[in-house]
Amino acid sequence: MVTTSFCLRGVEFANRVFAASGTFGYGDEVLDLADPSRLGGIMTKSLSWKPRDGNAPRRVVETASGMLNSIGLANIGVHAFIETKLPTLRTLRTRIVANIAASSVDEYAQVLTLLDSQEGVDAFEINVSCPNVKEGGLNFGTNVDRTREITRRLRPLTQRPLIVKLTPNVTHISEFARAVEAEGADAVSLINTLVGMAVDIRTGRPKLSTVTGGLSGPAIKPVALAKVYEVAKAVKIPIFGIGGIMSAEDAVEFLMVGASAVEIGTLNYIDPAAGGRIAEGIAAFAAEKGLSDVGQLVGSLKADLSASILQSWL
Amino acid sequence: MSRAQVQGVVVARARVAEGIHRLTLKCPEVASSMRAGQFVNVRVRDDGWDPLLRRPFSVSRVDGDRIDLVFNVVGVGTKAMSSYEPGRSVDLLGPLGKPFAVDADFETALLVGGGLGVAPLPALTDELRRRGKSAITFLGARSRSQLYREHLFELHVATDDGSEGHHGTVVDLLSVYLGEHTVPSPMIFACGPTPMLRALGAFAKERSIPCELSLEGEMACGIGLCQGCPVERVGGAKRYALVCTEGPTFRAGEVIV
């Protein structure tokens, strides 16, 4: 048997595969289609203090091997989450990571403090990197001082694991990872979506109502891998790798470049049960390699470049 | 009405009108539980990620353990589907969404379809007949060659070019019909392009006829996860409803089409 579990700040997760925020609802929407106990955990849809309507349609556009979204953090608000969602989530045999988005440092603190007083929230993921809202979002995530300030403010407010989700829409993502590590974050997750756009040439207008949106899906996997690789060299805290993972093989790539865990995002829209299969596929890969723990794959990338390139090309 | 991720098998593919294809799939899980107005989300190919997202289609008709999907080729997804061969396995999520309100309080259903909006009407006709309710069908198309008219009841046709039936819109046709006939306790059920639905919603309101519209939405998932398919509500605390889980059928006047 290969060990699949891992620990973060004393919290044990059954495996290293999570559902990415915004791609698995609040965790209770698809219980008929996917068994959450096969996942290490679920990152909830971003929660804000008050409910948010989200952006006007059109909110999603398919692109080459990817999609653009501009949802605008539509969510029911933290109070409704606690009243209507958390009771069900407490009964699930998986970990619940509450993702928080806010438009001020105070709001982040308010939402986190309220959730921290609840049973059933196992960890926090702080979204400082949504590209689709006017206030907060990228204003925070692309400014290293603001990112540091948010982490500094939130760290003392909880004893539960604190994960900060970073945006790739900056020059050096590792600078942001170092900043949050220095403030006591337990982990970073990356990447959030890449800013992108698409044009309807028949109407001459942008396809998304907000003009630009966030690109996700297999199209961004090479970018995500390079960002995880960069951050893995810069910090010691664990990394949750995110970006276009569609298979166990994709997930193993992220582990090899230095991610301790992965989040499945866009794939949930197409195949909501895929996360569980990917977790099992990773374990099978590790077993095949004669490893006793999936964790042995983390950062196992070899420095010497061999001649295997041609074979994989053909 | 329980939804599931299942494999359908292509039984037949036919070109049923100009540019319109009908795919018949053997899919007992969906066939046994689906109701008129619901849809399936089709994974177009299983050997790659382009196109990436599933494509939603109303189930057009159920026959035993088989379902029909009716579509025209508008992009890469439908192009791929238009060359599916019998025996091919197709990954489906379904049945999804809220069905037509066939049990609402009415005696005569006025079915209105514009273009490919005819798709869910055969299934709706079958369900109405099983309930002993009568149905009168009004179909609009650009031209006679683009009419798909199988398994429909008491059919009236409008074409933009006048090649068959009423020369004009299907909403005009309905208006003319109701001017000449007395229909006991009617309710309109409609599917079609947005301008048609908008005009029909206004017509229904003016005549005080209850009316349910089936909307399209650009959705990444079809199962309430992505929040990608909002439609604006009229009043209420929430500004938007999701077409995939709260629709695709809505009462006219409940949402802004």
Side-chain angles (χ1 to χ4, degrees), chain B residues 171-254:
Chain B
V171 181
D172 290 341
L173 171 65
L174 177 66
S175 173
V176 169
Y177 181 91
L178 292 177
E180 293 169 355
H181 300 79
T182 305
V183 176
S185 182
M187 177 161 170
I188 297 170
F189 296 89
C191 185
T194 302
M196 179 201 106
L197 296 180
R198 200 174 286 147
L200 195 61
F203 173 82
K205 187 180 177 188
E206 186 189 302
R207 302 292 181 93
S208 304
I209 302 173
C211 176
E212 194 172 53
L213 309 174
S214 177
L215 306 188
E216 279 193 312
E218 281 135 343
M219 50 186 76
C221 69
I223 50 179
L225 294 176
C226 76
Q227 308 276 316
C229 56
V231 57
E232 198 162 346
R233 287 175 195 272
V234 178
K238 271 174 67 184
R239 180 159 178 203
Y240 296 111
L242 295 181
V243 171
C244 68
T245 49
E246 294 167 84
T249 59
F250 293 95
R251 286 294 180 118
E254 183 189 0

Side-chain angles (χ1 to χ4, degrees), chain B residues 161-176:
Chain B
D161 65 1
S163 53
E164 183 172 336
H166 177 79
H167 189 173
T169 72
V170 70
V171 181
D172 290 341
L173 171 65
L174 177 66
S175 173
V176 169

Side-chain angles (χ1 to χ4, degrees), chain A residues 22-25 29-30 32-33 45 53-60 62-67 71 74 216-218 246 266-273, chain B residues 2-5 41 43 49-55 76 91 93 96 218-232 237-240 242:
Chain A
T23 68
F24 214 67
E29 278 88 345
V30 288
D32 53 340
L33 298 172
K45 184 142 190 54
D53 293 324
N55 294 332
R58 186 177 178 186
R59 290 182 178 177
V60 294
E62 188 178 65
T63 58
S65 296
M67 62 175 278
I71 307 303
S216 67
M246 307 305 268
T266 301
L267 180 57
N268 290 319
Y269 297 150
I270 302 150
D271 190 354
Chain B
S2 65
R3 59 183 186 176
Q5 187 171 348
N41 218 354
R43 191 167 160 203
W49 299 110
D50 213 2
L52 177 66
L53 303 172
R54 290 175 183 266
R55 302 296 196 257
V76 286
D91 183 323
L93 272 174
L96 305 176
E218 281 135 343
M219 50 186 76
C221 69
I223 50 179
L225 294 176
C226 76
Q227 308 276 316
C229 56
V231 57
E232 198 162 346
K238 271 174 67 184
R239 180 159 178 203
Y240 296 111
L242 295 181

Side-chain angles (χ1 to χ4, degrees), chain A residues 36 57 62 73 77 88 141 152 162 176 188 196 200 216 222 263 268 286 291:
Chain A
E62 188 178 65
L73 300 177
T88 305
R152 182 178 298 165
L162 187 67
F176 292 76
V188 285
D200 183 339
S216 67
E263 297 182 22
N268 290 319
L291 305 177

Side-chain angles (χ1 to χ4, degrees), chain A residues 28-50:
Chain A
D28 66 343
E29 278 88 345
V30 288
L31 295 176
D32 53 340
L33 298 172
D35 175 4
S37 72
R38 294 169 71 192
L39 297 170
I42 296 167
M43 273 64 178
T44 68
K45 184 142 190 54
S46 285
L47 300 166
S48 51
W49 185 250
K50 287 183 180 161

Side-chain angles (χ1 to χ4, degrees), chain A residues 138-242:
Chain A
L138 276 190
N139 289 343
F140 291 144
T142 58
N143 180 323
V144 73
D145 292 327
R146 297 287 275 162
T147 303
R148 185 184 290 117
E149 183 191 347
I150 291 166
T151 313
R152 182 178 298 165
R153 177 75 181 276
L154 298 183
R155 176 68 282 176
L157 300 179
T158 182
Q159 283 308 307
R160 295 173 195 177
L162 187 67
I163 306 160
V164 181
K165 187 168 181 177
L166 302 178
T167 175
N169 301 299
V170 294
T171 307
H172 295 297
I173 195 170
S174 50
E175 188 188 347
F176 292 76
R178 272 199 209 97
V180 305
E181 179 183 47
E183 295 301 332
D186 298 299
V188 285
S189 52
L190 58 129
I191 57 177
N192 205 325
T193 55
L194 289 151
V195 173
M197 74 181 282
V199 176
D200 183 339
I201 60 168
R202 288 168 305 176
T203 62
R205 293 194 171 86
K207 286 186 175 175
L208 288 171
S209 67
T210 51
V211 183
T212 61
L215 182 65
S216 67
I220 73 166
K221 196 188 82 176
V223 178
L225 278 170
K227 298 295 176 190
V228 170
Y229 180 68
E230 177 192 330
V231 170
K233 287 192 296 181
V235 299
K236 292 194 169 59
I237 53 176
I239 300 164
F240 288 71
I242 323 165

